[in-house]
């Protein structure tokens, strides 16, 4: 992978990329991906959660709950959640289902 130098134009940081065709691309914002980033699932070692071959935690797609009852996984450790907006949405979904579970547990406790 070839590094593209950062430049400053008019006080704004820009990244210029010139393609072989001669076309040039200038951007002021970008999403960065860090290839080879290790999934940090060490805290889950004591739980019976399934991982995919890349080490991401497998969850119920609707609730984000893992195979282990009352353990949810979102963000970078979940499948297909490496983008901030997706991870935030997954977190919101999980929060709804966690709240539902807590209400269920509270109702059982009161019986």
């Amino acid at each position: 992978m070839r590094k593209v130098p950062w430049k400053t134009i008019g006080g704004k940081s820009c990244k210029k990329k010139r393609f072989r065709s001669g076309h040039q691309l200038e951007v002021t914002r970008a999403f960065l991906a860090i290839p080879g980033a290790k999934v940090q699932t060490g805290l889950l070692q004591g739980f019976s959660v399934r991982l995919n071959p890349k080490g991401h935690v497998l969850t119920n797609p609707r609730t984000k709950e893992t195979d282990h009852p009352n353990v949810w996984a979102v963000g970078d450790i979940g499948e297909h959640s490496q983008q901030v907006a997706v991870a935030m949405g997954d977190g919101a979904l999980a929060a709804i289902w966690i709240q539902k579970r807590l209400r269920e547990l509270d109702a059982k406790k009161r019986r």
Side-chain angles (χ1 to χ4, degrees):
M1 184 158 91
R2 184 169 87 68
K3 288 188 177 181
V4 178
W6 284 93
K7 305 221 177 193
T8 302
I9 299 171
K12 294 182 180 179
S13 294
C14 296
K15 190 174 184 180
K16 287 186 173 186
K17 169 72 175 164
R18 187 173 301 277
F19 297 93
R20 289 183 195 140
S21 65
H23 290 92
Q24 185 172 306
L25 176 68
E26 294 183 29
V27 296
T28 58
R29 307 280 190 286
F31 285 104
L32 299 177
I34 302 170
K38 186 176 184 293
V39 181
Q40 302 294 323
T41 55
L43 286 173
L44 297 172
Q45 285 181 345
F47 299 94
S48 58
V49 298
R50 292 181 305 136
L51 305 177
N52 72 9
K54 291 184 178 181
H56 294 94
V57 179
L58 297 174
T59 62
N60 176 315
R62 184 171 180 212
T63 65
K64 304 304 174 190
E65 188 172 13
T66 67
D67 290 6
H68 193 94
N70 301 322
V71 175
W72 287 261
V74 297
D76 289 353
I77 65 168
E79 280 193 302
H80 313 296
S81 292
Q82 289 70 48
Q83 292 180 335
V84 173
V86 175
M88 289 171 55
D90 286 353
L93 279 173
I96 290 167
W97 289 96
I98 291 167
Q99 182 182 30
K100 287 181 180 187
R101 179 66 51 79
L102 290 172
R103 285 183 178 167
E104 288 173 9
L105 293 172
D106 188 48
K108 285 180 184 177
K109 185 179 174 182
R110 290 180 187 196
R111 289 182 199 159

